[in-house]
Every structure is written in C-alpha cells, then in structure tokens.
C-alpha cells in the first residue's frame, strides 16, 4: 500500500457505537480536480477566458489547472492536520500526532515552497530551476500554487518557519510519492511553464475557480466517503469524473447561450415599439469586438434600465459576455429590479433548452418572497469542523452554493446591491469567488451618482479590475459631475491599458448623455429627453418651522396629501411628535430607517399603497407623511405637496421626483390628461440665503444634520442657485445645477466665511478616498497575504464608510417569563425581521433585565443570524404602550431605548 493512502481528507461527525466515517485524502484531491475538469470541458468560454488571463494555450492551461487542483489540500499531508482527528489518524497510521499549530492552507504552500518540499521534488523530476531561498524570485508555478492552496477565503500565510515543525517523518515521503503519482496520471508530458507575470495577476481568478471546485467536490452526498483502496487511475476515471459530472448538473452551473437575434419587442413587449431617444441610441450605437464601458445619464423615468439591458444583450451577442450582474444602491431597489428582470431575463438566451439562472444577491435576500419561491433543495453538510480555523467546504456548499439562490454572482443573471460586487476587490473571505462570478459578465451599476468618495474610489478600482479581466460595464446615473465621469472612464481605460481620459467640457447642454469608451476611442452622444419626463419645478424657500406647519395645515384642509422629508431620524421624530400633539385629528404617518425590519416593511407597504401610483383619492385625502431619506429613491411615490429640508442639489432633484409624479385630478384620481393640480412646487426648509453667511450658517439651523451633509458650502451653493433661478427645468437644467454646485468653478463663488468648511469637507472626502485605496486589494501584487493589510470576515468588510459605525441590534420582548422575537408574528426569519441598525454612538452594550437568566439569553443568541456575532441583542420590557431596554452608549453612559411600532426605536 502506498503511503499516501494513510491520510484522511474528510471525516464525518463521530457517533457513538458507529464505525469511523472518513474519506481518504488522495480521493478528495481527485474529486476536486475532477470537478474542475468537468467545468472546463462543459464551459469552453470559461476555459478560454482563464487561459487568456494566464497567457496560455487552452489545452496547456487545463493541464496545469487540473494538476494544481489536485494539490489544493497538500497541507493535509501533515501531522499538524492529521492529528485533528486522532481517532482516524490512529486507525490509518497507528499513532497520534502532535498538537496542531498551523492552518492546512498555509501548510500546503509551505510544503510546496520549502527546501525539502514539493518544489524540490519537481526540481529533481522535471529539472525546474533550483530555488534554495524563500526570498528568491517567484515563477508562475509559485503564484499558481499560492492560488490553489489559499482556497479557504484568503491567501496562505508564509511566516511560520521550518517545515519540520509541522510534519512527521513519514509525511514528506508520502507527499512526494503522491505528487509523483499525480504527475504520472495527469502530466505524463511536462507542459510549457507558465509566465510569472501573467499568473501573478490571473491568480485571483484561479483561486476563485479553486474555491468553486473545492466546494462542489466536497459535497458528501455525491462524493461518498471511500476508505477501500483502488488505483488512482481507476478512481479518477470510474468514480471522480462521473460524480463530478453529477454534482455540476445538480448545481446547475452549465451556462445557457445568449440569443443573438433578439429585438426590442421580443425582449420587452409591444410598448417598446416606440423606444425613448436613449433606448434608440442604445440600439444604434456601434458595438466593437473589444470590452467597453457605457455611461448613461438621463432623468428618472427615461428608460435607462431598458437601455442598459439592450446594450447588455448587444454585448452578449457580440461575444463579449454571457451574463450580467445588476448592482443597485439598496436592498429595496435590488428587490424591485429582481422582480422586473424576472419577466425578461430568460429572453436574453436561446429558448430551446435554456435554463439561465437569476439570483438575488444582498444581505437580506432570504426575506424576498419572490426569491424564496425559487428555492431548490439544498445539499446536506456532513463534515465536522476541522479545528484549524478553516471550515469544511461542504458546510459552505450547503449554506451558499446548494441551490439557485446561493450562487450569487455565479448565476448568469445576478441582481443585488453594489456592495456584493465591491466585495470582489476588498479583502473579504472568498472574494476571489466573487471575482470569478463577475468574469464574462456585463457589470451594470445603477444610481452611480449616489456613491460617496469612498464608494466612488472602490467602484473605480472594481472597474479597473473588471476591465483587466476582459469585462464590459454599463453605469447608470441621473447626473454625474464632470470630474466624477472622467475618473470612472479613466479607471476603466486603465484596466484596458488605455491612456487616462481627459474630457473636454461640452458646456451645460450635453444632457442627456451616452458616453462610450473602447480602445477605438471615446464617444459622447447627446440625446433628446422623453417629453413625458420634462417639466418645470418651482422652488419656494421657507425659513421657519411654523411656515411648514402652516403649509401642511392648508394641505389637510384642502384634502390633499403632503410629505416633509427631514434629514435626520431625530428631526423626523421631533416633527412627528409636535404635529401629533398640536393636531391629534390629523392623519400623520412616520417613516424612517430606525424601525425594526418588520415594522419598516409594513410601513413601507402602507406608504406605497397610500401614496404610490395606485393610491386612491380616499387614502390620500388629508394624509401627511413625515419621513427621512428612505423615500428619496426606489419608491414610486406621488405627493401633491412636498417639503424638504435643505440637502445637496442632486438629492433635491431626486426628492422632487416624488412631487406630482403621476397625472391626477384635483381629487387625487389618476388621469390620462395633463396633471390638474397646478404647477409642481418644491418647498425647501432652509436657513436664509445671504451673500455673506455666518460660518455656522447651516450648523445653527440644522444642528443634528450638520454631519449628515458635511459640506455646508455645497449646501449654500445649492440654496443660492435654486433661489436665484426660482426653480429648474428638467432635463434642460440638470447639468447646470450639478456643475453649479460640484463643478471646479463652483468654489470660486463661495463667500470667504464658508471656505474653511469647504476645505475641511474636501479633506474628509480625500481622506475617505485614501481609506478606500488602503482597503482595496492590490491586485498587482498577486494573490498573496501582503495584497492587503487585513483580511476581514465578509460580514464586517467595509463596502461603505459611514460617518459613524453602526451595528445590527436584534430586538427581543421579555414577556410571560420568556424571550420572544420582536417580530414573533412572522412565520419565518423572525430574528431577521426583528433587526434594526443603530449607531454605536447610541448603543454599544445592552443590559439584561434581572429576571432573564444567562441560559435563556444564550439560547436566543444561538438562534440569531451568525449566532449573534457582530451584533447586539436588546431585551425590551413593556411599560404601558412602550417597550423599554437599557444599555450603554459609546461614551459609557447608561441609556434607555424606547420602542413601539408607530415611532420605532429612539433613545430617551
């Protein structure tokens, strides 16, 4: 018996009275390689793309890839790993090893690179260049091995000293014997050595492919544990390959082919017989044979989504992609887009036998009813945890990849938040799998203007990396400042080895605009706007809260409906309480982000039902909504009167989109004719706009909102510009408004008193951009631990940089001697629905009521998502109509949290 048969690779949970359940290591290594062989054979596009990244012929690439997949768990051929199951080790080797002290992924690379390791063995067998020192210049094989051994979410660490510290005297001979057998099996003729520079970059995608193969190859329901001995060749041909074919079919990873003959009517239906100007330009613009970037700028309601899908289909038809990922700013917008694409995504592919996958990808996707209805059976996880800080792959497989909802970015059509895409270039565990998922996809990003300086820098980095891998991208925005558009174009061009883009200012009439970059050059096409979305909005300023109340009173008396958008939750709570006290007879609704998820969704549904397009006259009559930015985007709301706190100009334009959005008569009924409610008037609650304002001009008026919008100079420019003009025409004034506030010349218009604040805000923005640069992975360094200063868990990787840190807090009710989820009325996901995000300045620690036992608390902790990791559990006791909990804030002060279903969570 060869020595390598004396090592286990997988082991089941030990049950009393039953024989040991384990899978021999050489078999598991072949299982994973067989999955890779099947995937590459069934997905020639993927094989071609990976081979191109590696600079290799497809045949040569596949030979190397399968060989290195076998070596992915090389580190398990060590005493350090084998002793993690002393019962299995004793049965196979007749002994028990020393205590573990190193992860097996890092051990795998150490086995390769050490002087007495696998590379030394190949030097003798193949005549590879000798490498006596760890610091010696690395070649393509080193980068490839680092990619496959680092398959547990991060690159292997390389600072653990000598190999002898972790291996028994029989381990190294067994490893060399196994590698020799694999060479004879898979590489009888030594293939061409890969180029170090190419593999260094490609290693990120090679690691992602290894993770995928390992997760699928660890499905114990398909790859049943095997302990009896058969020759490796027989196991490879008769067991590993047939089972790999089975698991790939179960995972539904075989791609469908795009439909190259698709037209607008077939894709969207008869209403596309009359496309908008932007959509027509998407149909007519030239699509070359190279990866390319499109930026679409147009007003809300102009059909940007359909135009983007048209371009996506044309890119797919030109063989530049075979799928897409639609990244949106919020979970709500992602859910809405998931529903929209559900009706059309299959039409992107050839109908006969096509089974393209559509997946929703964000942190709470399990709460989407449409998403849950697409569930498929999951694979059961059978392995016990190893104990060396790595998680068995079949646990990941069961939790993430087992059905269509879990394939995330690997689905042919993905919809989710932009965060899920940004995680691909951040040091989050398994980010390489996300990079692999974006390969061969069109990356669509909506609401790009909503990105702050931190997210903008990350998006630029993602565009560079996506372009480097040969991907095309489409960015959608209402309006983009000139500088921001230039930076996005330059970032993509960098990934295609292009020169920095230097835009020429076209004046203030270049809107709506379609920007198109490829190696052939940059094209900027001004298009007409859709007549139905063109209108003039009058802007009226008020400077006392009493004026707002008076306006709202007039609205109620006329039987109209109104919304007041406040910039902070605290301001919204204050206005709601004051109005309820002064006018208890009014029909007032409060809507902000600090409700439990169940209450927030309930209120959102009520708001959409009452104030949405289908809201009836009776429900709208005399109704007032006090809200925060939660109504700013994604919700199709229509108010007769809209009041808003002063905010940056682009957000005011966005908020104005909720004002008289649909044509109605004076009673609030929908009509097919022109709107009968009179001209749209946006009322802005603001400090007075003077030529020489005080330095604390905004801070004194909005003390709570001063940190929400830190650049008070931009707010002054917004107010002055709108006051001077008395309103705005859309889309004619869009560019003028944006450049008038964000343009390079806008700073020259500032009064001296606000320059300090302007420079401070610019410094903060540059600081956030620097943090993004620091956090983003250095792809050029290759897949190594030094590519980032810190590798995070996915749940805590910062895709957004908030002014203040926040933490998920789960609300529990102490009632009848038991702890219940706040959303106990939900049939499933009660704790997900009981969650609320609270700033750490408000709460960092919770106190238990004295009646609650530690065991009760611990039992609930185990029920929470991720067993309560990175979150708080707040236990609430009822006091009258209010539920109260206690804790401590960031200053160490004791605080009381008040909660009810009408006002949400607030700090007393």
């Amino acid at each position: 018996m060869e020595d390598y048969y004396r090592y286990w690779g997988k082991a089941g949970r030990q049950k009393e009275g039953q024989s040991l359940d384990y899978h021999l290591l050489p078999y598991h290594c072949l299982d994973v390689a067989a999955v890779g062989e099947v995937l590459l054979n069934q997905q020639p596009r993927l094989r071609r793309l990976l081979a191109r990244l590696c600079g290799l012929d497809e045949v040569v690439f596949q030979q190397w890839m399968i060989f290195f997949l076998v070596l992915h768990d090389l580190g398990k051929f060590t005493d350090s790993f084998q002793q993690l199951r002393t019962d299995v080790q004793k049965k196979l080797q007749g002994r028990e090893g020393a205590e573990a002290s190193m992860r097996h992924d890092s051990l795998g690379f150490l086995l390769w690179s050490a002087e007495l390791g696998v590379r030394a063995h190949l030097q003798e067998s193949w005549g590879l260049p000798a490498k006596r020192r760890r610091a010696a210049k690395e070649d393509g094989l080193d980068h490839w091995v680092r990619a496959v051994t680092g398959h547990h979410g991060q690159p292997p660490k390389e600072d653990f000293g000598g190999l002898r510290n972790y291996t028994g005297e029989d381990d190294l001979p067994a490893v060399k014997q196994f590698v020799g057998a694999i060479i004879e099996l898979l590489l009888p003729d030594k293939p061409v050595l890969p180029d170090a520079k190419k593999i260094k970059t490609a290693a990120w995608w090679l690691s992602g492919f290894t993770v995928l193969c390992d997760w699928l190859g660890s499905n114990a329901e398909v790859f049943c544990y095997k302990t009896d001995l058969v020759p490796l060749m027989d196991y490879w041909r008769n067991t590993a390959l047939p089972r790999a074919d089975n698991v790939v079919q179960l995972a539904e990873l075989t791609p469908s082919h795009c439909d190259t003959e698709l037209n607008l009517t077939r894709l969207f239906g008869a209403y596309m017989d009359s496309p908008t100007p932007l959509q027509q330009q998407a149909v007519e613009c030239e699509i070359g044979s190279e990866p390319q970037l499109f930026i679409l700028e147009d007003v809300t309601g102009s059909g940007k989504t359909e135009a983007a899908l048209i371009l996506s289909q044309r890119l797919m038809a030109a063989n530049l992609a075979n799928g897409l990922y639609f990244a949106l700013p919020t979970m709500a917008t992602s859910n809405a887009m998931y529903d929209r694409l559900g009706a059309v995504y299959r039409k992107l592919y050839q109908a006969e036998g096509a089974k393209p996958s559509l997946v929703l990808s964000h942190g709470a996707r399990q709460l989407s009813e449409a998403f849950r209805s697409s569930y498929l059976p999951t694979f059961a996880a059978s392995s016990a945890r190893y104990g060396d800080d790595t998680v068995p792959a079949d646990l990941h497989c069961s939790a993430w990849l087992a059905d269509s909802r879990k394939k995330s970015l690997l689905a042919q059509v993905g919809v989710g938040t932009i965060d899920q895409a940004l995680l691909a270039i951040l040091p989050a565990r398994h980010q390489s799998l996300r990079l692999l998922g974006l390969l061969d996809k069109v990356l669509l990003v909506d609401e790009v203007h909503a990105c702050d300086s931190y997210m903008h820098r990350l998006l630029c980095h993602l565009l560079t990396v996506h372009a480097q891998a040969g991907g095309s991208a489409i960015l959608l925005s209402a309006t983009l400042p000139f500088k921001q558009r230039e930076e996005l174009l330059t970032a993509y061009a960098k990934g295609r080895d292009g020169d920095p883009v230097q835009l020429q200012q076209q004046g203030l009439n270049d809107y709506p605009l379609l920007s198109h970059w490829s190696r052939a050059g940059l094209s900027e096409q001004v298009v007409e706007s859709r007549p139905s979305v063109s209108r003039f909005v009058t802007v009226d300023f008020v400077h006392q809260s009493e004026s707002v109340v008076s306006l709202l009173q007039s609205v109620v008396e006329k039987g109209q409906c109104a919304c007041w958008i406040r910039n902070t939750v605290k301001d919204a709570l204050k206005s709601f309480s004051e109005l309820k006290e002064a006018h208890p007879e009014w029909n007032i609704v409060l809507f902000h982000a600090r409700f439990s998820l169940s209450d927030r969704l309930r209120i959102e549904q009520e708001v959409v039902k009452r104030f949405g397009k289908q809201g009836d006259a009776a429900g709208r009559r005399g109704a007032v909504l006090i809200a925060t930015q939660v109504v700013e985007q994604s919700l199709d709301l229509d108010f007769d009167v809209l009041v808003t706190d002063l905010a940056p100009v682009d957000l005011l334009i966005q908020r104005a989109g909720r004002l008289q959005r649909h044509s109605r008569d004076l009673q609030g009924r929908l009509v097919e004719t022109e709107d009968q409610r009179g001209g749209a008037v946006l009322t802005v609650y603001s400090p007075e706009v003077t030529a020489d304002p005080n330095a604390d001009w905004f801070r004194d008026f909005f003390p709570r909102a001063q940190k929400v919008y830190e650049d008070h100079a931009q707010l002054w420019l917004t107010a002055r510009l709108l006051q001077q003009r008395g309103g705005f025409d859309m889309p004619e004034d869009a560019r003028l408004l944006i450049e008038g506030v964000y343009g390079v010349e806008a700073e020259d218009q500032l009064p001296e008193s606000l320059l300090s604040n302007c420079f401070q805000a610019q410094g903060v923005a540059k600081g956030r951009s620097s943090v993004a640069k620091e956090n983003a992975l250095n792809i050029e360094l290759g897949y190594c631990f030094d590519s980032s200063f810190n590798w995070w868990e996915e749940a805590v990787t910062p895709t957004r940089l908030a002014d203040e840190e926040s933490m998920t807090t789960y609300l529990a009710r102490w009632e009848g001697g038991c702890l219940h989820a706040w959303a106990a009325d939900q049939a499933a996901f009660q704790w997900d629905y009981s969650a609320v995000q609270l700033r750490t300045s408000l709460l960092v620690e919770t106190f238990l009521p004295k009646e609650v036992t530690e065991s009760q608390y611990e039992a609930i902790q185990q029920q929470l998502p991720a067993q309560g990791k990175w979150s708080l559990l707040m236990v609430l006791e009822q006091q009258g109509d209010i539920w109260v909990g206690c804790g401590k804030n960031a200053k160490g002060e004791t605080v009381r949290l008040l909660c009810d279903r009408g006002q949400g969570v607030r700090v007393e």
Side-chain angles (χ1 to χ4, degrees):
M1 179 182 74
E2 288 81 357
D3 290 341
Y4 51 75
Y5 285 117
R6 298 168 60 232
Y7 294 79
W8 63 272
K10 297 283 180 182
R13 300 177 179 88
Q14 180 59 36
K15 298 178 181 178
E16 188 175 350
Q18 295 185 2
S19 59
L20 291 177
D21 186 25
Y22 60 90
H23 193 43
L24 291 179
L25 180 53
Y27 297 155
H28 170 65
C29 292
L30 289 177
D31 293 341
V32 172
V35 171
E37 179 87 348
V38 170
L39 285 173
L40 293 177
N41 286 337
Q42 293 187 4
Q43 299 192 34
R45 291 184 62 91
L46 176 62
R47 182 178 66 234
R48 182 166 60 253
L49 288 167
L50 291 175
R52 186 184 303 162
L53 280 170
C54 295
L56 293 171
D57 171 82
E58 289 184 45
V59 174
V60 173
F61 160 74
Q62 185 158 339
Q63 287 178 319
W64 278 120
M65 187 74 250
I66 303 310
F67 171 69
F68 283 122
L69 281 174
V70 177
L71 304 188
H72 80 286
D73 264 349
L74 203 61
K76 291 183 178 179
F77 281 102
T78 60
D79 198 38
S80 180
F81 179 84
Q82 292 295 307
Q83 63 80 37
L84 293 173
R85 282 296 296 268
T86 54
D87 51 350
V88 182
Q89 185 184 29
K90 192 168 185 179
K91 177 177 178 63
L92 291 172
Q93 299 179 6
R95 65 186 185 86
E96 296 181 7
E99 184 178 348
S101 55
M102 188 175 182
R103 288 168 54 116
H104 73 268
D105 47 3
S106 296
L107 275 172
F109 189 72
L110 180 58
L111 266 175
W112 164 266
S113 57
E115 185 176 344
L116 300 177
V118 177
R119 186 182 175 90
H121 174 59
L122 294 186
Q123 288 169 12
E124 300 171 6
S125 305
W126 285 354
L128 293 179
K131 292 179 65 176
R132 294 292 177 183
R133 291 176 290 108
R134 292 282 299 280
K137 185 177 181 181
E138 295 182 314
D139 60 22
L141 299 183
D142 296 312
H143 295 301
W144 211 320
V145 172
R146 191 182 279 111
V148 297
T149 55
H151 61 278
H152 278 282
Q154 64 185 41
K157 293 183 178 180
E158 303 173 41
D159 55 353
F160 284 90
L163 186 60
R164 296 297 191 191
N165 296 329
Y166 311 102
T167 57
E169 60 181 19
D170 298 329
D171 295 345
L172 200 56
V175 169
K176 293 179 177 180
Q177 187 185 65
F178 177 67
V179 173
I182 296 304
I183 290 173
E184 183 178 343
L185 174 64
L186 300 175
L187 293 178
D189 300 316
K190 184 181 72 171
V192 176
L193 290 175
D195 176 73
K197 186 177 180 180
K198 290 281 189 181
I199 302 301
K200 189 175 187 178
T201 301
W204 295 95
W205 290 269
L206 299 179
S207 176
F209 185 69
T210 304
V211 173
L212 174 60
C213 294
D214 183 46
W215 287 9
L216 290 176
S218 298
N219 177 5
E221 290 187 9
V222 177
F223 294 97
C224 303
Y225 288 180
K226 187 173 179 64
T227 57
D228 56 308
L229 308 186
V230 297
L232 295 184
M233 176 65 79
D234 292 347
Y235 184 85
W236 172 254
R237 289 178 176 174
N238 302 328
T239 304
L241 287 173
R243 289 177 176 176
D245 187 71
N246 185 18
V247 81
V248 169
Q249 289 186 43
L250 287 173
E252 294 186 339
L253 288 175
T254 303
S256 300
H257 300 291
C258 69
D259 187 344
T260 59
E261 304 298 328
L262 197 63
N263 59 46
L264 294 184
T265 303
R266 283 177 57 195
L267 183 58
F268 296 112
Y271 86 95
M272 285 299 290
D273 290 342
S274 301
T276 68
L278 180 64
Q279 293 163 354
Q280 190 62 41
Q281 184 61 30
V283 172
E284 296 175 354
C285 70
E286 184 177 349
I287 300 288
S289 59
E290 292 278 337
Q292 50 212 276
L293 169 70
F294 293 90
I295 301 180
L296 312 183
E297 295 177 81
D298 206 343
V299 297
T300 301
S302 61
K304 290 193 295 291
T305 297
E306 289 80 3
L309 290 174
I310 292 166
L311 289 172
S312 298
Q313 188 276 328
R314 295 188 64 202
L315 289 167
M316 292 165 64
N319 205 33
L320 293 172
N322 196 38
L324 60 93
Y325 179 76
F326 215 130
L328 297 114
T330 65
M331 293 183 186
T333 51
S334 301
N335 291 341
M337 185 61 66
Y338 179 76
D339 293 339
R340 289 179 67 181
L341 284 186
V344 301
Y345 80 100
R346 289 184 180 88
K347 299 176 184 178
L348 294 169
Y349 298 90
Q350 295 174 1
E352 188 174 347
K355 292 183 179 180
S357 49
L358 171 68
V359 168
L360 181 64
S361 177
H362 62 61
R365 58 187 175 183
Q366 74 276 14
L367 304 183
S368 164
E369 183 63 35
F371 179 56
R372 291 204 305 274
S373 68
S374 66
Y375 276 18
L376 292 176
T378 60
F379 298 146
S382 59
S383 293
R385 289 180 176 265
Y386 294 136
D388 67 342
D389 196 35
T390 60
V391 180
D394 59 334
L395 297 182
H396 283 299
C397 184
S398 176
W400 189 85
L401 199 71
D403 55 60
S404 62
R405 60 190 168 131
K406 298 287 187 175
K407 290 171 196 164
S408 194
L409 298 185
L410 289 174
Q412 280 192 276
V413 180
V415 180
T417 56
I418 187 175
D419 309 75
Q420 300 300 315
L422 293 179
L423 284 170
I425 47 89
L426 287 168
R429 290 185 187 272
H430 299 115
Q431 57 72 224
S432 62
L433 194 62
R434 294 177 180 274
L435 269 185
L436 181 75
L438 288 175
L439 192 65
D440 203 25
K441 283 190 176 64
V442 180
L443 173 63
L444 299 98
V445 184
D446 199 8
E447 307 277 9
V448 174
H449 59 274
C451 293
D452 61 12
S453 57
Y454 178 81
M455 291 186 73
H456 172 71
R457 186 63 175 264
L458 291 182
L459 177 57
C460 286
H461 191 58
L462 176 63
L463 286 174
T464 299
V465 175
H466 188 59
Q468 196 171 9
S472 294
I474 303 171
L475 311 181
L476 314 181
S477 180
T479 49
L480 276 177
F482 180 87
K483 186 173 182 292
Q484 194 173 355
R485 186 166 84 250
E486 187 176 71
E487 289 173 347
L488 291 166
L489 289 163
T490 294
Y492 186 84
K494 178 183 177 182
R496 300 303 303 159
D497 296 324
D499 295 328
V501 175
Q502 294 183 330
L503 294 176
Q504 300 299 316
Q505 189 81 48
Q506 301 294 320
L508 300 175
N509 297 317
D510 59 342
Y511 184 88
L513 184 68
L514 187 151
S515 304
H516 180 198
W517 186 95
S518 68
R519 277 183 175 159
L522 174 66
S523 166
E524 293 188 297
Q525 181 65 48
V526 180
V527 298
E528 296 293 326
S529 187
R530 194 176 190 168
S532 61
V533 297
S534 301
R535 67 170 179 169
F536 181 79
V537 176
T538 300
V539 177
D540 183 23
F541 282 83
V542 296
H543 312 298
Q544 290 84 31
S545 60
E546 292 80 7
S547 300
V548 177
V549 175
S550 177
L551 175 61
L552 295 178
Q553 184 164 1
S554 174
V555 168
V556 173
E557 291 172 353
K558 292 178 182 178
Q560 295 179 310
C561 66
C563 176
W564 184 4
I565 302 178
R566 309 293 332 251
N567 286 337
T568 70
V569 173
K570 202 164 187 178
D571 284 331
L573 285 165
K574 182 174 182 292
S575 296
F576 175 79
S577 297
E578 290 175 349
L579 287 171
K580 287 291 287 184
E581 183 177 357
H583 302 280
E585 75 283 4
W586 284 11
N587 184 359
I588 311 176
V589 179
L590 177 66
F591 187 27
H592 56 71
R594 212 186 292 163
F595 283 95
S596 72
L597 185 56
S598 64
D599 292 331
R600 179 172 172 174
L601 291 175
R602 172 182 53 79
I603 296 171
E604 180 180 300
Q605 290 170 1
E606 292 174 359
V607 166
V608 171
K609 182 178 180 180
R610 175 174 293 181
F611 303 109
K613 182 176 182 179
Q614 303 304 323
D616 58 29
R620 298 167 60 85
R621 188 174 301 118
V624 175
L625 176 67
I626 306 298
T628 59
Q629 293 89 338
V630 291
V631 298
E632 197 168 86
Q633 57 189 7
S634 81
L635 299 181
D636 183 4
L637 302 177
D638 175 13
F639 299 98
D640 301 323
V641 173
L642 185 66
V643 183
T644 171
D645 290 356
L646 178 63
V649 65
D650 51 328
L651 300 185
L652 290 185
I653 295 172
Q654 188 82 7
R655 294 176 185 184
R658 275 69 193 154
L659 172 63
Q660 298 185 11
R661 187 182 182 96
H662 305 292
S663 294
R664 297 182 185 273
D665 62 18
L666 292 175
Q667 285 71 45
R669 296 183 290 254
L670 286 172
V671 293
E672 297 293 334
T673 58
E674 290 188 7
D675 197 285
Q676 300 173 22
R677 292 173 288 183
V681 179
L682 178 68
T683 301
V684 179
Y685 178 51
S686 163
E688 291 191 35
V689 185
T690 61
D692 187 23
N694 185 285
D696 295 328
W697 169 80
F698 184 81
R699 184 180 296 108
D700 289 344
F701 196 86
F702 290 115
R704 301 183 186 92
Q706 59 174 309
K707 289 187 177 181
V708 177
Y709 305 117
E710 295 175 323
D711 195 333
H712 303 165
Q714 287 182 349
L715 293 165
W716 181 85
L717 286 169
T718 296
R720 190 191 66 151
L721 184 60
L722 291 176
Q723 188 175 71
Q724 287 176 346
R725 297 183 62 81
F728 52 86
D729 265 308
M730 289 300 285
E732 291 84 354
D733 291 341
R735 192 72 74 195
L736 179 148
L737 294 174
I738 295 300
E739 295 303 324
V741 174
Y742 297 108
V744 292
E745 298 179 358
E747 190 177 306
D748 298 336
Q749 310 298 317
L750 288 173
E752 187 174 346
S753 59
L754 294 178
L755 286 176
S756 176
N757 172 266
C758 174
F759 298 150
Q760 181 179 356
Q762 289 176 357
V764 170
K766 289 179 180 178
R768 289 172 177 161
S769 181
S770 297
V771 171
K773 182 179 179 181
E774 186 75 14
N775 285 349
L777 290 166
N778 190 336
I779 299 293
E780 303 302 320
L781 289 180
Y783 190 71
C784 64
F785 216 79
D786 292 339
S787 59
S788 171
F789 70 92
N790 188 26
W791 284 82
W792 293 294
E793 294 290 343
E794 181 179 296
V796 294
T797 304
T799 55
R800 304 177 190 235
L801 201 62
D803 296 326
E804 294 187 56
E805 291 185 8
S806 63
M807 186 176 293
T808 301
T809 302
Y810 295 102
L811 305 178
R813 294 180 290 108
W814 175 250
E815 195 172 21
C818 298
L819 286 172
H820 306 275
W822 177 261
D825 55 328
Q826 296 291 330
F829 308 108
Q830 293 180 351
W831 291 108
D832 295 271
Y833 282 112
S834 300
V836 62
Q837 292 291 326
L838 294 179
R839 299 196 310 273
T840 53
S841 61
L842 298 178
L843 189 70
V844 294
E845 183 182 348
T846 62
F847 301 150
L848 287 178
K850 60 183 180 180
E851 298 88 354
V852 180
T853 67
E854 197 66 32
S855 61
Q856 288 175 313
Y857 181 81
E858 289 298 327
I860 295 298
Q861 281 281 121
Q862 293 303 309
Q863 297 177 27
L864 299 180
Q867 288 74 54
K869 198 173 183 181
W870 311 299
S871 63
L872 295 174
L873 176 62
M874 170 59 80
V875 178
L876 304 169
E877 295 183 282
Q878 190 167 17
Q879 296 182 11
D881 295 332
I882 304 294
W883 290 82
V884 180
C886 291
K888 186 183 294 185
N889 64 19
K891 295 181 180 179
E893 301 166 336
T894 298
V895 295
R896 292 203 335 149
L897 253 66
L898 311 181
C899 185
D900 63 35
R901 301 194 184 279
Q903 297 189 59
V905 177
R906 54 219 184 267
V907 177
E908 187 181 49

